[in-house]
């Protein structure tokens, strides 16, 4: 697909960009139509019924008009319902990532972005992606609130400290697209700018090899996690092969639905794992004792990401 910069919008470079633009234009032109109609109507009526001796009866009160009121209630209600259903459908499409998505770890901090690739490659302010492959971003911040915003993909999501947020899209156009921080985060907020480079599959794997060789590739997250599993002695309470121990085994744990000691239910996702490492007794799985110590202050953010990536790799 070729870039088609319209005079209003940036190129539509992701799988849902075009559909979103149709909805955007629908709402825009509908609003324009209503605005022009109401303005012309107001002017016409003001002139037509301006104060004149000719209309002595005009001051008589009119209390209601059944059909007129029905029409101006029912038609807008239908239009609102259409926008609601259409918008909800698109929103859900944009929320739920396909299970075969490629995953990147995105870290925002004042005032730059870092991207961790599954192979251990790490980039700053530059995200390189293969075309036509769904990408799922797992995002967190090291300091304050940021917001990950790529206008060409029609996608934006807050990036928070102490919590993971997610976002997914499929790039459908080769090229370079600007990435912005869309949440005021301090003095240099406006220079927290990056670039998204979308390449063909061949060029992408060539880039990944080259970047890996040049940087001496940092240890990939799951591998670092496996090391920490030993060095931080997670193994004393958690097995990595499904075997029973003091705590639940890491194997197959990710994605499970768990009942907690207070009777409530939850899914083992990134945010639950993070909470369980930093504040282990917040939600204890039924059948286990609340005896795990906190690892607050003992792991930096990348190490936390690594342990979580390690647990996810043990399926
Ligand atoms: Cu980060 Cu604004």
């Amino acid at each position: 697909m070729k870039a088609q910069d319209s005079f209003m919008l940036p190129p539509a470079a992701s799988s849902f960009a075009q559909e979103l633009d149709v909805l955007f234009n629908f709402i825009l032109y509908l609003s324009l139509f209503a605005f022009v109609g109401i303005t012309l109507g107001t002017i016409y009526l003001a002139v037509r019924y301006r104060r004149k001796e000719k209309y002595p009866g005009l001051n008589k009160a009119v209390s209601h008009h059944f059909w007129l009121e029905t029409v101006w209630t029912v038609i807008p209600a239908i239009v609102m319902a259409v926008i609601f259903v259409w918008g909800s459908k698109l929103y859900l499409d944009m929320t739920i990532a396909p299970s075969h998505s490629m995953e990147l770890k995105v870290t925002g901090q004042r005032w730059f972005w870092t991207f961790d690739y599954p192979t251990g490659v790490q980039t700053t302010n530059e995200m390189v992606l293969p075309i036509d492959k769904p990408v799922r971003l797992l995002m967190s911040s090291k300091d304050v609130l940021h917001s990950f915003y790529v206008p060409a993909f029609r996608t934006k999501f807050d990036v928070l400290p102490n919590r993971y947020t997610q976002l997914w899209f499929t790039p459908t156009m080769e090229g370079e697209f600007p990435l912005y921080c869309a949440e005021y985060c301090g003095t240099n907020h406006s220079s927290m700018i990056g670039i998204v480079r979308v390449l063909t599959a061949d060029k992408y794997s060539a880039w990944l090899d080259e970047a890996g060789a040049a940087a001496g590739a940092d240890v990939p997250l799951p591998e670092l996690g496996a090391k920490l599993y030993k060095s931080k002695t997670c193994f004393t309470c958690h097995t990595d092969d499904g075997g029973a121990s003091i705590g639940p085994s890491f194997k197959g744990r990710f994605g499970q639905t768990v009942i907690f000691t207070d009777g409530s239910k939850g899914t083992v996702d990134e945010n639950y794992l993070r909470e369980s490492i930093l504040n282990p007794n917040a939600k204890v799985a039924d059948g286990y004792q609340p005896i795990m110590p906190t690892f607050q202050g003992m792991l930096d953010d990348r190490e936390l990401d690594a342990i979580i990536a390690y647990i996810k790799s043990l399926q």
Side-chain angles (χ1 to χ4, degrees):
M1 215 177 290
K2 267 281 33 94
Q4 29 182 265
D5 248 324
S6 76
F7 105 101
M8 278 197 304
L9 296 168
S14 77
S15 49
F16 35 61
Q18 253 147 4
E19 243 183 297
L20 269 172
D21 288 359
V22 174
L23 176 58
F24 171 80
N25 283 321
F26 174 76
I27 295 173
L28 177 72
Y29 289 116
L30 194 72
S31 309
L32 261 179
F33 174 77
F35 172 73
V36 171
I38 289 168
T39 308
L40 291 181
T42 307
I43 293 170
Y44 170 75
L45 291 174
V47 174
R48 174 85 172 74
Y49 295 105
R50 66 188 182 280
R51 189 184 171 119
K52 271 195 278 185
E53 295 307 310
K54 266 180 22 187
Y55 306 114
L58 264 191
N59 290 331
K60 231 192 318 165
V62 177
S63 72
H64 67 277
H65 187 293
F66 178 77
W67 284 113
L68 193 62
E69 287 165 24
T70 305
V71 165
W72 83 44
T73 305
V74 170
I75 292 179
I78 292 173
V79 172
M80 289 305 140
V82 167
I83 293 173
F84 173 75
V85 171
W86 194 350
S88 313
K89 194 204 154 280
L90 275 171
Y91 176 76
L92 290 177
D93 287 348
M94 293 174 73
T95 308
I96 304 157
S99 53
H100 60 286
S101 304
M102 154 181 160
E103 194 176 289
L104 286 191
K105 176 69 191 42
V106 177
T107 308
Q109 60 187 295
R110 288 182 286 180
W111 285 277
F112 58 94
W113 302 96
T114 42
F115 303 95
D116 266 288
Y117 286 75
T119 58
V121 168
Q122 201 181 55
T123 60
T124 303
N125 282 348
E126 183 190 51
M127 180 165 68
V128 181
L129 297 172
I131 194 168
D132 292 332
K133 266 206 85 171
V135 187
R136 179 168 164 272
L137 303 182
L138 186 63
M139 310 190 292
S140 63
S141 162
K142 278 199 178 163
D143 37 47
V144 297
L145 204 67
H146 302 278
S147 181
F148 183 93
Y149 179 35
V150 183
F153 297 163
R154 309 289 189 272
T155 195
K156 175 162 70 177
F157 213 91
D158 280 4
V159 178
L160 288 79
N162 309 320
R163 164 169 194 90
Y164 294 107
T165 52
Q166 291 177 28
L167 181 132
W168 85 275
F169 52 84
T170 305
T172 54
M173 203 185 281
E174 268 183 82
E176 298 197 344
F177 308 100
L179 153 71
Y180 300 100
C181 176
E183 184 69 53
Y184 182 67
C185 54
T187 319
N188 283 337
H189 155 72
S190 58
S191 60
M192 193 167 165
I193 293 173
I195 197 110
V196 184
R197 266 170 61 205
V198 180
L199 306 174
T200 59
D202 289 352
K203 282 189 199 156
Y204 171 74
S205 49
W207 170 83
L208 200 59
D209 290 347
E210 209 174 290
D218 239 323
V219 191
L221 288 176
E223 218 171 280
L224 177 61
K227 279 188 188 149
L228 292 164
Y229 174 71
K230 296 209 173 71
S231 64
K232 302 285 174 187
T233 65
C234 310
F235 62 88
T236 47
C237 301
H238 302 277
T239 66
D240 60 358
D241 59 3
S245 187
I246 299 164
S249 177
F250 282 180
K251 188 172 171 62
R253 192 63 170 169
F254 190 80
Q256 275 186 353
T257 303
V258 181
I259 297 170
F260 303 117
T261 43
D262 67 354
S264 64
K265 245 205 273 183
T267 304
V268 178
D269 59 9
E270 289 91 352
N271 282 312
Y272 173 67
L273 290 175
R274 185 185 180 107
E275 181 184 59
S276 296
I277 296 167
L278 299 177
N279 185 11
N281 297 336
K283 287 185 198 124
V284 177
D286 200 25
Y288 295 97
Q289 296 297 314
I291 51 170
M292 176 167 157
T294 174
F295 283 79
Q296 187 90 53
M298 294 168 65
L299 298 164
D300 67 26
D301 275 17
R302 187 156 198 272
E303 290 172 329
L304 262 177
D305 296 342
I307 292 176
I308 292 167
Y310 175 58
I311 295 172
K312 284 164 82 174
S313 74
L314 295 171
Q315 285 304 316

